[in-house]
């Protein structure tokens, strides 16, 4: 089976595909990178914990988090990364990249 | 160097252009000769594209049904997750050329392709 | 070195998707990867020459720099351009009004990974 890296841009209140994400991931190694409005997951206790329980690792793009006023405020369990780290995840760490 | 790509369709027909555009992408890959394998997997709201009684002429839209069927001209497969469709609209008639599958099979289909693109 | 293909389907001023695509491309080339960008659907606007957004980042100009200095290849779907009235000759020099069949399929075949930037 293939390891999967999900990319998410939608806010926690706009994104309705968490069940789909779990179904796509199955038992395979999976993670998600949060871009743009999706970074609000990192400060949304309820939906953030649901997301963390769905995949192995959750990464947050630092500049989007800072732009929205939450620099240094991501809940524990969210790994704040820059674009070079995102590229490394995409190119080297996972088999497939799936935008939801 | 990828030789296979899966088109994952998550949007319903005749509203968003996505499902049609995803199918056109699939046809482009298959007709190019550059990509050996390209399949389509309907999931979530994308499963609504499998319904056999669609009448796109009612909104003057091109038919997603015909676009999907064109994939079969290249011996390519179109899959649909049955449970996602049933969850949305119950037990409805689906297009005969579409293979109705469960999530476990869908994950196997996913693993058969190197790249995935979402519509 | 491995190649990354970025498929962009959002217009330049709709949201920050185009900025994300450009930032991923910039980071990838800085790390030594080759990058291809294909604009599909609303994503064709990336190549429109003469973009002059006030206060917002100019993704057209940033992409042009990637093309000129980092050998990034950029093409967009000609059918999508025709639908939106973007004519050949209106694209930024060095970028291509191309097709799924001739360009995206080649990008897929040349690339190790694909990222889809869309909503």
């Amino acid at each position: 089976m293939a390891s999967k890296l999900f990319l998410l841009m939608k806010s926690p209140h706009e994104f309705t595909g968490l069940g789909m994400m779990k179904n796509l991931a199955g038992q395979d190694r999976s993670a998600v990178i949060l871009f743009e409005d999706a970074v609000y997951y990192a400060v949304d206790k309820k939906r953030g914990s649901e997301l963390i329980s769905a995949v192995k690792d959750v990464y947050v793009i630092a500049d989007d988090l800072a732009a929205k006023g939450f620099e240094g405020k991501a809940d524990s369990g969210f790994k704040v990364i820059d674009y070079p780290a995102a590229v490394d995840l995409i190119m080297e760490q996972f088999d497939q990249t799936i935008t939801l | 160097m990828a030789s296979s790509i899966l088109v994952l369709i998550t949007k319903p027909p005749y509203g968003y252009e996505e499902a049609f555009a995803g199918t056109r992408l699939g046809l482009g890959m298959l007709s190019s000769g550059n990509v050996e394998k390209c399949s389509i997997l309907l999931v979530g709201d994308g499963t609504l594209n499998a319904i056999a009684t669609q009448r796109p002429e009612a909104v003057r839209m091109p038919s997603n049904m015909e676009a999907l069927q064109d994939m079969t001209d290249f011996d390519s497969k179109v899959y649909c997750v049955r449970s996602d469709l049933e969850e949305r609209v119950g037990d409805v008639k689906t297009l005969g050329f579409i293979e109705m599958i469960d999530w476990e099979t869908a994950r196997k289909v996913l693993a058969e392709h190197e790249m995935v693109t979402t519509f | 070195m491995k190649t990354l293909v970025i498929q962009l389907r959002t217009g330049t001023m709709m949201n920050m998707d185009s900025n994300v695509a450009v930032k991923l491309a910039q980071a990838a080339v800085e790390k030594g990867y080759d990058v291809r960008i294909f604009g599909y659907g609303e994503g064709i606007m990336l190549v429109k020459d003469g973009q002059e957004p006030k206060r917002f980042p100019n993704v057209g100009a940033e992409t042009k720099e990637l093309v000129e200095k980092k050998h990034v290849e950029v093409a967009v779907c000609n059918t999508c351009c025709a639908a939106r009235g973007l004519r050949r000759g209106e694209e930024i020099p060095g970028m291509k009004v191309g097709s799924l069949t001739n360009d995206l399929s080649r990008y897929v075949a040349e690339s190790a990974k694909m990222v889809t930037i869309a909503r």
Side-chain angles (χ1 to χ4, degrees), chain B residues 40-53:
Chain B
I40 291 185
L41 174 60
L42 308 176
V43 298
D45 282 351
T47 59
L48 298 162
N49 291 283
I51 294 172
T53 53

PDB file of all heavy atoms in Angstrom, chain B residues 40-53:
ATOM      1  N   ILE B  40     -10.388   6.414 -13.124  1.00  0.00           N
ATOM      2  CA  ILE B  40     -11.177   7.400 -12.389  1.00  0.00           C
ATOM      3  C   ILE B  40     -11.835   6.712 -11.198  1.00  0.00           C
ATOM      4  O   ILE B  40     -12.373   5.603 -11.326  1.00  0.00           O
ATOM      5  CB  ILE B  40     -12.237   8.050 -13.302  1.00  0.00           C
ATOM      6  CG1 ILE B  40     -11.523   8.934 -14.336  1.00  0.00           C
ATOM      7  CG2 ILE B  40     -13.257   8.854 -12.488  1.00  0.00           C
ATOM      8  CD1 ILE B  40     -12.419   9.728 -15.231  1.00  0.00           C
ATOM      9  N   LEU B  41     -11.768   7.381 -10.048  1.00  0.00           N
ATOM     10  CA  LEU B  41     -12.420   6.869  -8.839  1.00  0.00           C
ATOM     11  C   LEU B  41     -13.388   7.933  -8.325  1.00  0.00           C
ATOM     12  O   LEU B  41     -12.978   9.058  -8.014  1.00  0.00           O
ATOM     13  CB  LEU B  41     -11.360   6.533  -7.775  1.00  0.00           C
ATOM     14  CG  LEU B  41     -11.869   6.112  -6.394  1.00  0.00           C
ATOM     15  CD1 LEU B  41     -12.739   4.849  -6.473  1.00  0.00           C
ATOM     16  CD2 LEU B  41     -10.688   5.863  -5.438  1.00  0.00           C
ATOM     17  N   LEU B  42     -14.660   7.583  -8.262  1.00  0.00           N
ATOM     18  CA  LEU B  42     -15.687   8.498  -7.754  1.00  0.00           C
ATOM     19  C   LEU B  42     -15.873   8.234  -6.265  1.00  0.00           C
ATOM     20  O   LEU B  42     -16.164   7.096  -5.863  1.00  0.00           O
ATOM     21  CB  LEU B  42     -17.010   8.272  -8.491  1.00  0.00           C
ATOM     22  CG  LEU B  42     -16.969   8.288 -10.033  1.00  0.00           C
ATOM     23  CD1 LEU B  42     -18.354   7.951 -10.609  1.00  0.00           C
ATOM     24  CD2 LEU B  42     -16.490   9.628 -10.550  1.00  0.00           C
ATOM     25  N   VAL B  43     -15.688   9.293  -5.461  1.00  0.00           N
ATOM     26  CA  VAL B  43     -15.861   9.170  -4.000  1.00  0.00           C
ATOM     27  C   VAL B  43     -16.666  10.364  -3.498  1.00  0.00           C
ATOM     28  O   VAL B  43     -16.781  11.384  -4.190  1.00  0.00           O
ATOM     29  CB  VAL B  43     -14.501   9.127  -3.260  1.00  0.00           C
ATOM     30  CG1 VAL B  43     -13.682   7.920  -3.697  1.00  0.00           C
ATOM     31  CG2 VAL B  43     -13.718  10.407  -3.489  1.00  0.00           C
ATOM     32  N   GLY B  44     -17.187  10.266  -2.285  1.00  0.00           N
ATOM     33  CA  GLY B  44     -17.931  11.377  -1.704  1.00  0.00           C
ATOM     34  C   GLY B  44     -19.038  11.835  -2.635  1.00  0.00           C
ATOM     35  O   GLY B  44     -19.738  11.012  -3.258  1.00  0.00           O
ATOM     36  N   ASP B  45     -19.212  13.168  -2.776  1.00  0.00           N
ATOM     37  CA  ASP B  45     -20.223  13.699  -3.697  1.00  0.00           C
ATOM     38  C   ASP B  45     -19.923  13.342  -5.149  1.00  0.00           C
ATOM     39  O   ASP B  45     -20.820  13.399  -6.004  1.00  0.00           O
ATOM     40  CB  ASP B  45     -20.303  15.232  -3.577  1.00  0.00           C
ATOM     41  CG  ASP B  45     -21.076  15.676  -2.338  1.00  0.00           C
ATOM     42  OD1 ASP B  45     -21.692  14.815  -1.671  1.00  0.00           O
ATOM     43  OD2 ASP B  45     -21.065  16.884  -2.045  1.00  0.00           O
ATOM     44  N   GLY B  46     -18.689  12.973  -5.425  1.00  0.00           N
ATOM     45  CA  GLY B  46     -18.317  12.565  -6.792  1.00  0.00           C
ATOM     46  C   GLY B  46     -19.053  11.314  -7.243  1.00  0.00           C
ATOM     47  O   GLY B  46     -19.221  11.088  -8.451  1.00  0.00           O
ATOM     48  N   THR B  47     -19.527  10.506  -6.288  1.00  0.00           N
ATOM     49  CA  THR B  47     -20.259   9.288  -6.653  1.00  0.00           C
ATOM     50  C   THR B  47     -21.578   9.614  -7.360  1.00  0.00           C
ATOM     51  O   THR B  47     -22.133   8.770  -8.060  1.00  0.00           O
ATOM     52  CB  THR B  47     -20.570   8.422  -5.409  1.00  0.00           C
ATOM     53  OG1 THR B  47     -21.359   9.191  -4.486  1.00  0.00           O
ATOM     54  CG2 THR B  47     -19.300   7.960  -4.715  1.00  0.00           C
ATOM     55  N   LEU B  48     -22.063  10.843  -7.189  1.00  0.00           N
ATOM     56  CA  LEU B  48     -23.333  11.254  -7.817  1.00  0.00           C
ATOM     57  C   LEU B  48     -23.208  11.322  -9.340  1.00  0.00           C
ATOM     58  O   LEU B  48     -24.217  11.392 -10.042  1.00  0.00           O
ATOM     59  CB  LEU B  48     -23.780  12.604  -7.237  1.00  0.00           C
ATOM     60  CG  LEU B  48     -24.045  12.550  -5.709  1.00  0.00           C
ATOM     61  CD1 LEU B  48     -24.059  13.948  -5.117  1.00  0.00           C
ATOM     62  CD2 LEU B  48     -25.344  11.820  -5.403  1.00  0.00           C
ATOM     63  N   ASN B  49     -21.971  11.295  -9.841  1.00  0.00           N
ATOM     64  CA  ASN B  49     -21.755  11.234 -11.285  1.00  0.00           C
ATOM     65  C   ASN B  49     -22.069   9.853 -11.860  1.00  0.00           C
ATOM     66  O   ASN B  49     -22.111   9.694 -13.079  1.00  0.00           O
ATOM     67  CB  ASN B  49     -20.299  11.601 -11.619  1.00  0.00           C
ATOM     68  CG  ASN B  49     -20.003  13.060 -11.362  1.00  0.00           C
ATOM     69  OD1 ASN B  49     -20.375  13.929 -12.137  1.00  0.00           O
ATOM     70  ND2 ASN B  49     -19.343  13.344 -10.243  1.00  0.00           N
ATOM     71  N   ALA B  50     -22.255   8.864 -11.002  1.00  0.00           N
ATOM     72  CA  ALA B  50     -22.508   7.493 -11.482  1.00  0.00           C
ATOM     73  C   ALA B  50     -23.999   7.232 -11.727  1.00  0.00           C
ATOM     74  O   ALA B  50     -24.365   6.180 -12.255  1.00  0.00           O
ATOM     75  CB  ALA B  50     -21.976   6.483 -10.460  1.00  0.00           C
ATOM     76  N   ILE B  51     -24.856   8.163 -11.358  1.00  0.00           N
ATOM     77  CA  ILE B  51     -26.304   7.961 -11.481  1.00  0.00           C
ATOM     78  C   ILE B  51     -26.717   7.893 -12.956  1.00  0.00           C
ATOM     79  O   ILE B  51     -26.333   8.753 -13.760  1.00  0.00           O
ATOM     80  CB  ILE B  51     -27.058   9.088 -10.731  1.00  0.00           C
ATOM     81  CG1 ILE B  51     -26.779   8.967  -9.231  1.00  0.00           C
ATOM     82  CG2 ILE B  51     -28.558   9.040 -11.032  1.00  0.00           C
ATOM     83  CD1 ILE B  51     -27.305  10.125  -8.403  1.00  0.00           C
ATOM     84  N   ALA B  52     -27.492   6.865 -13.294  1.00  0.00           N
ATOM     85  CA  ALA B  52     -27.814   6.584 -14.702  1.00  0.00           C
ATOM     86  C   ALA B  52     -28.891   7.503 -15.265  1.00  0.00           C
ATOM     87  O   ALA B  52     -29.010   7.641 -16.480  1.00  0.00           O
ATOM     88  CB  ALA B  52     -28.242   5.123 -14.837  1.00  0.00           C
ATOM     89  N   THR B  53     -29.665   8.128 -14.408  1.00  0.00           N
ATOM     90  CA  THR B  53     -30.820   8.903 -14.900  1.00  0.00           C
ATOM     91  C   THR B  53     -30.538  10.406 -15.031  1.00  0.00           C
ATOM     92  O   THR B  53     -31.468  11.205 -15.116  1.00  0.00           O
ATOM     93  CB  THR B  53     -32.022   8.700 -13.952  1.00  0.00           C
ATOM     94  OG1 THR B  53     -31.598   9.003 -12.611  1.00  0.00           O
ATOM     95  CG2 THR B  53     -32.539   7.280 -14.012  1.00  0.00           C
TER      96      THR B  53
END
